[in-house]
Amino acid sequence: MAHEGTLFLDEVGDMSLATQSKVLRVLQEQKFERVGGSEILEADFRVIAASNKNLEQEIERGNFREDLYYRLNVVPFYVTPLRERQEDIPLLVNHFHQEFSLAYGRRINKIIPEAVDLLAQYEWPGNIRELKNVIERLVIMVSSNGIKAEHIPSNILEKRRINGF
């Protein structure tokens, strides 16, 4: 339970209207009933909600409740997609490489700069989650003394953008 904590609602734009109604009721009343339970519980919590959809457009289309939007949209902020922050990719690659090397007990081998350059040329439609998954896969699968260009998944190589690399 998130009592006196933070509740993160990821991809709120994908919730059904029925679920949106239930979430709105909990946010307004700060009370809920557990699934299968009969006791009404109170909770005091803050909410962080995220969506990759334009919720104003979803309201116009009838896919998102306007009242829920205004309940959630207290302090909005926009994080640009990874494809618009290409300069962040090498930093993220190195961070995730270290994280997964430690998590899987792998010696922290380097990532060859050419491989990082290839990763930086990709559009990353799945944003940071996709990048993180790719680096985790490389740490698990590559047993050589470093991640090289030849280890980059073929789908990334095929769909990379060519802009000066």
Side-chain angles (χ1 to χ4, degrees):
M1 187 161 77
H3 184 63
E4 296 182 348
T6 302
L7 179 64
F8 178 55
L9 302 175
D10 197 12
E11 299 302 344
V12 293
D14 292 336
M15 285 192 296
S16 69
L17 289 171
T19 301
Q20 291 175 39
S21 178
K22 292 174 185 177
V23 168
L24 179 62
R25 187 174 57 239
V26 170
L27 293 177
Q28 289 174 332
E29 298 173 7
Q30 294 189 329
K31 296 178 182 177
F32 67 97
E33 189 176 311
R34 287 189 177 144
V35 175
S38 58
E39 182 183 353
I40 303 273
L41 302 171
E42 291 188 25
D44 179 23
F45 55 90
R46 72 186 142 262
V47 174
I48 298 174
S51 181
N52 65 353
K53 295 182 177 179
N54 181 323
L55 295 180
E56 285 121 350
Q57 288 177 353
E58 293 300 308
I59 291 168
E60 290 174 14
R61 293 180 185 133
N63 297 329
F64 199 82
R65 293 181 57 117
E66 188 172 21
D67 48 358
L68 178 58
Y69 172 77
Y70 288 116
R71 176 64 69 174
L72 294 173
N73 195 30
V74 176
V75 181
F77 61 95
Y78 176 75
V79 178
T80 56
L82 189 54
R83 68 181 166 274
E84 294 177 20
R85 297 181 287 131
Q86 187 176 359
E87 68 279 1
D88 290 349
I89 293 172
L91 297 170
L92 291 166
V93 165
N94 288 325
H95 169 76
F96 293 138
H97 183 244
Q98 286 183 344
E99 177 184 327
F100 290 121
S101 293
L102 290 172
Y104 290 106
R106 303 283 238 167
R107 208 175 81 234
I108 298 181
N109 297 326
K110 66 179 186 170
I111 299 181
I112 306 301
E114 182 184 21
V116 176
D117 289 343
L118 290 170
L119 292 169
Q121 293 174 39
Y122 182 59
E123 291 280 334
W124 299 106
N127 277 309
I128 291 176
R129 288 182 191 137
E130 182 183 12
L131 175 62
K132 186 175 182 179
N133 290 342
V134 167
I135 300 305
E136 183 175 15
R137 180 180 329 137
L138 290 170
V139 167
I140 291 169
M141 302 300 289
V142 175
S143 59
S144 68
N145 287 335
I147 297 172
K148 302 174 185 162
E150 64 201 45
H151 298 121
I152 303 301
S154 60
N155 67 307
I156 290 174
L157 296 175
E158 293 166 5
K159 294 181 183 175
R160 68 180 197 240
R161 60 179 168 224
I162 308 298
N163 59 350
F165 284 93

